[in-house]
Amino acid sequence: MTEPLIRVEGLVKHFPVRRGIVFKREIGRVYAVDGVDLEVSRGETLGLVGETGCGKSTLARCMTRLYPLTGGRVIFDGTDISDLSRARLRPYRREMQMIFQDPYGSLNPRRRVGSIIGDPFAIHNVADGAERKRRVQELMELVGLNPEHYNRFPADFSGGQRQRIGVARALALHPKLIVCDEPVSALDVSIQAQIINLLKSLQEEFSLTYVFIAHDLSVVEHVSDRVAVMYLGRVVELADRARLYSAPRHPYTCALLSAAAVADPDRAAQRERIILVGDVPSPVAPPAGCRFHPRCPKAQPRCASEEPALIDRPGDPPDHFTACHFPVEPGERLAREQPAIGQPEG
Amino acid sequence: MTAPSILETTEVAPTRTVVGRSPWELAWMRLRRDRVAIVCAVFIAVLILVAILAGPISHLIGYGPTEQDRVHGITLDGLPVPPSGRHLLGTDNLGRDILVRIIYGTRVSLVVGLAAAAAAVFIGVIVGLCAGYFGPVVDAGMSRLMDVVLSFPFLLFAIALVSVIGPSELVEIGVIAFFSWAAVGRVVRAQTLSIREREYIEAARSLGAGDLRIMLIDVLPNLVAPVIVYTTLLIPVSIVFEATLSYLGVGIIPPTPSWGNMISDSQDFYQVAWWFLVFPGAALILTTLAFNLLGDSVRDALDPRTERLFAR
Amino acid sequence: MALLEVSDLTVSFPTADGVVEAVRGVSFSVEPGRTLGIVGESGSGKTVCTQALLGLTPGGRVSGTALFGGRDLLTMSNEELRHIRGAQISAIFQDPLSSLHPLYRVGWQIVEMIQAHEDISRAAARRRAIDLLGQVGIPRPESRVDDYPHEFSGGMRQRAMIAMALALHPTLIIADEPTTALDATVQAQIIDLMIRLQRETGTALIMITHDLGVIADIADEVMVMYAGKAVEVADRRSIYYNPHHPYTTGLLESIPGSTGVKERLKPIPGQPPSLIMVPPGCAFHPRCRYVMDRCLVQVPPLEPIGPGHTSACWLPISVVGLAASTDEVRGRISAAHRSGPAEAITRRIGATS
């Protein structure tokens, strides 16, 4: 088995909450990512799904070392990059890039588009002057923008076009890995499809590896090879795409799948909607034991004290991992609206 | 190459009716339409011209700024002469032509006002940018520094400083800049703090850009607009500050004219020679007003709120 | 008798760049107790439409009629509208954090609103507020009623908004993207709640959203808007299973899940037009795969193409449909009336640039 392109081991990222006038003391922590193990093979797309507070964005930024790690390791292309200094990390920045969610915030409004896309060339001293301009225009064409708009400002472009600019910028130095943090969530539906198709074409063209973060399950299903579901800082299920959508085993995954709005009235009326009680709890005070237990329709006393490991469960293929003591059996119907134990924070 | 098909990526209709205009061009267009701004700008341009050509103009009028006209410039009782054909704005208590003195005073006000504002902004931007960008430790240090400077009683300190060092134009500029930079620094720091959290800064870091590059290329351009606005509002403040210092006798020392010391000299004579107080005072007020109004217009031009309703 | 009957609503905003025609002649009606879903993307005019009904479009020029209970909302004074807002027509917006006042307790805000319209004591209003919070599924309402909005989670804030909307027993609720900012599981809860409450109270609902999945769950009738106009109006099943307008079809096809997984999605090419420079003829023509010469010059009116089903498109009836491939459709249109997409786009480039 070849070495995965990027591997994350026991990644932990906590943000301290500080209070104090002159000297700030830590009074609490946001357990944004609390022990994640993942790996992504070359050329594949790993989908990362979860709701607010699950830590997927934080995980993405830890993987690309935009944040320093609180614990654990990130190994990129065989090298441990967890503790590298800014200077030592720079060459790796050419290999892994990010595409951001907000097409209106991820581009500097006071800079021209050509300059924005040309940034990677300037920062890494790859190309200058006319050569840089030529390569930028080449990139613009590649992502479907008019190269003559080189001197325009972001305000002159629509949301979808701005996202293309972001893609061009990420692609400039031909990275191996691109982490896409909700790249289409802020776009209109008809434009989302354009950008998704663009990303897939580029992946084929340049043999890219993607980590694709989204909260929209149907988008993730469409683009991913494997999917990881996150909840409150941990991965609760990880499986091959087809498997996850047809035979999910974690109750949260089941709830998530059933909650997804379906653009088909008959199917919508027929399906069993599992409605979870309560809201997603805050990562400042994650519940003990299995983090999902206060909202879980299947929870038992064991779940409140013992945290389940992410392992493959009996009856599943070896690459399907579930972190649950009592995974959902095929054909099992989960109770609607009743948490089994505990009172969720309403 | 499997490029996305042209069908999927053709830009259909222009998303803006005005395309390719930079934010600066748009601001300039808005400013040009503002009549108040035009009037003020013209007024200030005239002032600058007058200040530069002070020599030739006073030569034309026929009197120097410190020249005492003992023949026609003073009454038999030793009092100032009212406005007349010879002395258009009258004379002061020593028979010096007030118009010429106001013209030379313009030079002082503009030079000191503009230089002090520029110096204050320069220092303020550097400190504010560092304070806002580099994180809590640096920020704490710089903010405390700014707080300390802002809590000095400036006039008292200005007087004390000048008494120690000695009055001159350069000292005046230094003193005014010293007491003004912290306010600019505060504003710049606040802006920088908010800009630092934007996604495009994160994007720049993810590309591997260093701090200096990010500050100069990504943060600074976004600071230019508020800094310009603040500068145009700081200039009149500096001009009045200068006038105050001169009024108190710690700015420009006589016989060199400054609007401030002219107003001070007029204190003993205004009851019999209203022109001695009114004209320098009017010059100060009008100049301050012009810069203030221009500053307001510049701010409106750079940051229109109501216009972009359906820009998306 | 329709509860709300809107005819030829037009809203435009003069700006320095030109006149923004946000809504360009929209007509629809809402029956008592039913839900109208208004679907559209950004720039479709769906929000401005309903804002105009409540007089919430400052600076806009509004024309047309909007009959509510026999009276025209668009000609009412601000004073008269204030009596209607909250009491007869209430609204739920997308971001409850900005609709609820952050400095006042949630219960207080509800009580305030009740007392502004009804003459009851503070104590009675407070009891009603607690009762409402319980109805919308907020646990321990007696103690939550005194919390500030920031102490509620996103889903709970939205529930509180719904409670406020229901407080005065309105006959119509306008919900503008109420679930867009919420997580999927919370969204499911809120939609579920709204469906249940609507059944219990018999309130009519206008649900504005870009999410076709939400519409599938909750709407009885659906109006699809594009560039300030209604392009298709039908009952829920017809919109999804028998769409006529190419924009509707395009929208449905561009949703992941409509094609086979891992196949390329079929997006609608191009992007929505600027509302300052709306393309002549049918506003959708630059992006339409079935565009004909006629579409570039004549604006298609919203006409019936079936029982309770109208569409604003020059294509003959039952020509378009999800099942039909582009080739099949082309085959059905006679050569005299159509041109291929590439030629149409070339012509369009010539026409509008």
Side-chain angles (χ1 to χ4, degrees):
Chain A
M1 193 175 81
T2 51
E3 174 83 10
L5 178 62
I6 185 165
R7 196 167 78 236
V8 165
E9 285 174 9
L11 193 123
V12 173
K13 179 65 189 166
H14 295 162
F15 294 99
V17 177
R18 292 201 173 102
R19 271 309 132 78
I21 303 172
V22 183
F23 295 106
K24 305 210 166 193
R25 275 175 9 210
E26 187 177 301
I27 59 163
R29 294 185 147 209
V30 177
Y31 298 88
V33 178
D34 214 17
V36 167
D37 298 290
L38 278 178
E39 57 183 53
V40 189
S41 315
R42 267 162 239 276
E44 85 164 320
T45 301
L46 174 72
L48 207 50
V49 167
E51 297 180 304
T52 317
C54 72
K56 55 193 194 293
S57 284
T58 310
L59 177 62
R61 283 161 174 74
C62 288
M63 282 170 89
T64 53
R65 284 297 322 274
L66 273 178
Y67 290 164
L69 309 177
T70 309
R73 305 201 298 160
V74 175
I75 296 149
F76 181 79
D77 210 5
T79 315
D80 187 340
I81 61 169
S82 331
D83 288 313
L84 291 183
S85 67
R86 274 262 283 262
R88 301 272 302 283
L89 213 42
R90 270 190 69 181
Y92 291 96
R93 296 247 173 260
R94 298 178 59 160
E95 315 274 330
M96 48 182 190
Q97 274 305 311
M98 271 191 83
I99 296 174
F100 297 89
Q101 174 177 4
D102 183 4
Y104 293 89
S106 59
L107 303 177
N108 192 332
R110 298 267 174 201
R111 294 178 65 184
R112 293 176 201 272
V113 155
S115 158
I116 293 175
I117 299 178
D119 238 0
F121 297 119
I123 294 170
H124 295 271
N125 289 317
V126 168
D128 239 350
E131 169 69 8
R132 191 194 295 178
K133 180 168 178 177
R134 185 188 64 78
R135 287 175 74 160
V136 168
Q137 289 183 315
E138 217 170 64
L139 282 165
M140 287 177 79
E141 252 182 306
L142 196 59
V143 299
L145 291 167
N146 186 341
E148 284 168 31
H149 294 164
Y150 182 86
N151 274 322
R152 292 202 184 165
F153 287 87
D156 296 327
F157 295 87
S158 69
Q161 290 173 311
R162 288 185 182 203
Q163 208 59 318
R164 291 175 195 264
I165 296 170
V167 172
R169 174 175 62 186
L171 211 50
L173 296 176
H174 295 306
K176 297 198 180 111
L177 171 72
I178 299 188
V179 177
C180 311
D181 187 1
E182 308 239 30
V184 295
S185 309
L187 302 175
D188 281 325
V189 170
S190 58
I191 311 288
Q192 280 189 17
Q194 292 178 9
I195 302 298
I196 292 174
N197 280 353
L198 172 67
L199 288 173
K200 291 184 87 167
S201 307
L202 292 171
Q203 184 176 33
E204 279 165 45
E205 169 90 14
F206 294 103
S207 313
L208 298 168
T209 305
Y210 284 148
V211 173
F212 196 97
I213 299 168
H215 63 263
D216 185 336
L217 286 165
S218 47
V219 170
V220 170
E221 181 181 8
H222 191 85
V223 300
S224 314
D225 298 306
R226 284 189 307 142
V227 180
V229 180
M230 284 187 75
Y231 187 82
L232 270 193
R234 317 207 79 207
V235 175
V236 296
E237 191 161 1
L238 171 62
D240 173 294
R241 180 207 8 104
R243 180 98 196 143
L244 190 93
Y245 283 80
S246 59
R249 303 220 60 208
H250 197 284
Y252 177 61
T253 313
C254 297
L256 209 53
L257 287 171
S258 79
V262 164
D264 186 329
D266 288 343
R267 262 207 299 152
Q270 282 163 12
R271 75 180 152 165
E272 284 283 336
R273 262 255 185 89
I274 303 164
I275 310 286
L276 293 176
V277 187
D279 289 316
V280 183
S282 153
V284 173
C290 169
R291 286 155 193 238
F292 186 59
H293 85 259
R295 302 170 80 197
C296 184
K298 290 196 70 174
Q300 317 245 340
R302 183 183 176 197
C303 305
S305 55
E306 196 187 315
E307 186 149 21
L310 185 70
I311 55 175
D312 93 78
R313 304 281 157 176
D316 288 335
D319 59 353
H320 184 160
F321 305 96
T322 313
C324 182
H325 295 305
F326 307 99
V328 176
E329 301 300 333
E332 181 182 346
R333 291 170 72 209
L334 291 176
R336 226 187 99 109
E337 284 207 49
Q338 294 305 317
I341 58 169
Q343 192 51 243
E345 178 50 42
Chain B
M1 178 174 102
T2 48
S5 80
I6 192 74
L7 266 175
E8 295 175 67
T9 56
T10 309
E11 279 166 69
V12 177
T15 46
R16 295 275 178 280
T17 45
V18 277
V19 283
R21 302 263 179 95
S22 74
W24 301 114
E25 285 171 17
L26 286 171
W28 178 243
M29 278 169 54
R30 274 189 286 266
L31 199 56
R32 271 177 25 206
R33 280 187 289 209
D34 185 343
R35 265 183 238 136
V36 170
I38 307 266
V39 168
C40 294
V42 167
F43 180 79
I44 291 169
V46 166
L47 276 182
I48 294 177
L49 213 60
V50 159
I52 294 174
L53 299 172
I57 293 179
S58 65
H59 192 74
L60 220 66
I61 296 177
Y63 295 98
T66 52
E67 191 186 316
Q68 298 183 13
D69 183 4
R70 283 178 237 267
V71 179
H72 301 282
I74 214 160
T75 66
L76 295 166
D77 306 314
L79 291 174
V81 159
S84 63
R86 190 183 293 271
H87 294 281
L88 286 170
L89 295 184
T91 59
D92 67 0
N93 57 322
L94 294 180
R96 300 177 291 202
D97 185 280
I98 285 188
L99 175 58
V100 173
R101 299 203 91 215
I102 286 181
I103 287 171
Y104 273 85
T106 308
R107 197 183 255 191
V108 168
S109 289
L110 285 180
V111 167
V112 172
L114 291 170
V121 165
F122 184 75
I123 301 171
V125 166
I126 292 178
V127 175
L129 190 53
C130 292
Y133 186 82
F134 281 118
V137 175
V138 174
D139 187 12
M142 304 242 175
S143 293
R144 295 296 91 79
L145 178 64
M146 289 193 273
D147 288 341
V148 165
V149 170
L150 282 170
S151 47
F152 282 0
F154 5 112
L155 282 180
L156 293 177
F157 262 71
I159 296 171
L161 260 169
V162 172
S163 322
V164 168
I165 307 176
S168 82
E169 216 169 86
L170 211 57
V171 171
E172 249 197 323
I173 294 175
V175 166
I176 298 173
F178 179 73
F179 289 107
S180 309
W181 73 262
V184 180
R186 271 243 197 110
V187 168
V188 169
R189 169 187 172 271
Q191 274 287 111
T192 306
L193 282 175
S194 100
I195 290 171
R196 193 177 62 148
E197 302 308 316
R198 305 271 163 87
E199 243 178 15
Y200 56 82
I201 301 291
E202 216 180 0
R205 279 209 204 97
S206 80
L207 290 171
D211 283 329
L212 191 60
R213 185 192 164 85
I214 293 180
M215 283 202 290
L216 291 178
I217 294 188
D218 277 307
V219 180
L220 206 49
N222 285 285
L223 286 175
V224 173
V227 165
I228 287 180
V229 173
Y230 208 88
T231 310
T232 46
L233 296 174
L234 192 56
I235 293 172
V237 170
S238 304
I239 292 175
V240 170
F241 204 152
E242 186 284 319
T244 312
L245 290 178
S246 297
Y247 178 92
L248 293 172
V250 292
I252 302 295
I253 34 174
T256 314
S258 147
W259 297 341
N261 64 26
M262 287 170 77
I263 294 175
S264 170
D265 290 342
S266 77
Q267 295 280 271
D268 294 326
F269 297 96
Y270 70 89
Q271 280 162 332
V272 295
W274 58 267
W275 55 92
F276 193 178
L277 172 63
V278 167
F279 291 124
L284 184 60
I285 290 174
L286 285 175
T287 305
T288 311
L289 188 62
F291 274 106
N292 272 325
L293 289 175
L294 184 62
D296 274 345
S297 299
V298 167
R299 186 193 18 234
D300 285 342
L302 285 171
D303 176 31
R305 284 299 163 99
T306 49
E307 296 211 285
R308 300 290 220 116
L309 267 181
F310 286 82
R312 279 220 230 157
Chain C
M1 214 322 246
L3 180 65
L4 173 70
E5 184 93 44
V6 177
S7 303
D8 207 30
L9 177 65
T10 305
V11 185
S12 57
F13 294 91
T15 68
D17 290 333
V19 178
V20 175
E21 298 174 68
V23 181
R24 302 181 300 130
V26 170
S27 307
F28 61 89
S29 63
V30 185
E31 303 293 324
R34 306 274 286 172
T35 302
L36 170 70
I38 302 183
V39 181
E41 299 176 297
S42 35
S44 59
K46 57 190 194 299
T47 296
V48 180
C49 222
T50 50
Q51 281 178 338
L53 296 178
L54 291 174
L56 295 172
T57 51
R61 282 197 269 270
V62 180
S63 69
T65 58
L67 293 173
F68 180 73
R71 299 166 63 203
D72 186 2
L73 292 170
L74 302 177
T75 56
M76 283 188 198
S77 68
N78 215 9
E79 195 51 45
E80 293 171 302
L81 276 173
R82 262 194 330 112
H83 288 295
I84 296 212
R85 285 187 215 134
Q88 289 168 51
I89 305 181
S90 61
I92 302 169
F93 300 104
Q94 176 175 351
D95 181 8
L97 202 49
S98 46
S99 333
L100 288 170
H101 197 300
L103 298 177
Y104 293 104
R105 300 174 201 273
V106 173
W108 189 92
Q109 296 185 46
I110 303 179
V111 165
E112 256 281 294
M113 199 190 66
I114 296 176
Q115 289 197 298
H117 289 269
E118 286 181 26
D119 190 20
I120 63 173
S121 71
R122 168 137 282 179
R126 189 185 151 87
R127 272 196 300 276
R128 197 146 106 196
I130 295 175
D131 192 42
L132 283 163
L133 288 179
Q135 267 190 303
V136 296
I138 292 179
R140 290 174 287 120
E142 341 54 62
S143 62
R144 296 314 299 248
V145 72
D146 288 322
D147 281 345
Y148 288 94
H150 66 262
E151 294 175 292
F152 278 34
S153 69
M156 296 234 298
R157 276 195 288 267
Q158 203 57 298
R159 289 173 192 267
M161 281 297 307
I162 295 174
M164 265 179 89
L166 286 172
L168 297 164
H169 310 297
T171 44
L172 172 66
I173 295 182
I174 298 176
D176 191 350
E177 306 256 26
T179 56
T180 303
L182 302 173
D183 285 317
T185 50
V186 178
Q187 175 171 305
Q189 293 172 352
I190 299 294
I191 297 290
D192 209 55
L193 173 69
M194 289 178 80
I195 295 176
R196 179 169 61 81
L197 287 172
Q198 195 196 13
R199 246 199 337 255
E200 284 170 17
T201 61
T203 314
L205 178 66
I206 296 181
M207 172 68 103
I208 302 166
T209 179
H210 64 271
D211 188 339
L212 284 162
V214 168
I215 293 285
D217 275 331
I218 202 171
D220 297 312
E221 278 83 44
V222 182
M223 176 167 85
V224 180
M225 284 186 71
Y226 184 82
K229 282 179 106 73
V231 296
E232 189 160 6
V233 184
D235 66 278
R236 176 175 58 198
R237 292 195 82 250
S238 300
I239 285 283
Y240 287 91
Y241 301 126
N242 210 4
H244 178 261
H245 198 284
Y247 176 61
T248 314
T249 330
L251 267 187
L252 289 166
E253 283 175 356
S254 61
I255 300 174
S258 59
T259 59
V261 180
K262 290 303 230 173
E263 274 176 34
R264 282 179 81 78
L265 293 170
K266 283 198 267 176
I268 306 177
Q271 58 234 2
S274 150
L275 294 170
I276 293 176
M277 248 178 62
V278 183
C282 172
F284 186 64
H285 82 250
R287 306 171 74 187
C288 184
R289 72 178 90 132
Y290 308 112
V291 62
M292 308 180 284
D293 291 339
R294 194 176 187 191
C295 308
L296 280 90
V297 287
Q298 275 186 294
V299 179
L302 192 65
E303 288 199 323
I305 59 161
H309 189 161
T310 54
S311 170
C313 181
W314 292 121
L315 283 172
I317 301 165
S318 57
V319 152
V320 188
L322 278 175
S325 70
T326 311
D327 295 324
E328 272 178 56
V329 172
R330 289 226 197 90
R332 294 186 207 157
I333 305 175
S334 69
H337 291 296
R338 67 132 169 101
S339 43
E343 292 158 71
I345 286 176
T346 319
R347 196 179 306 120
R348 187 267 321 150
I349 289 173
T352 59
S353 61

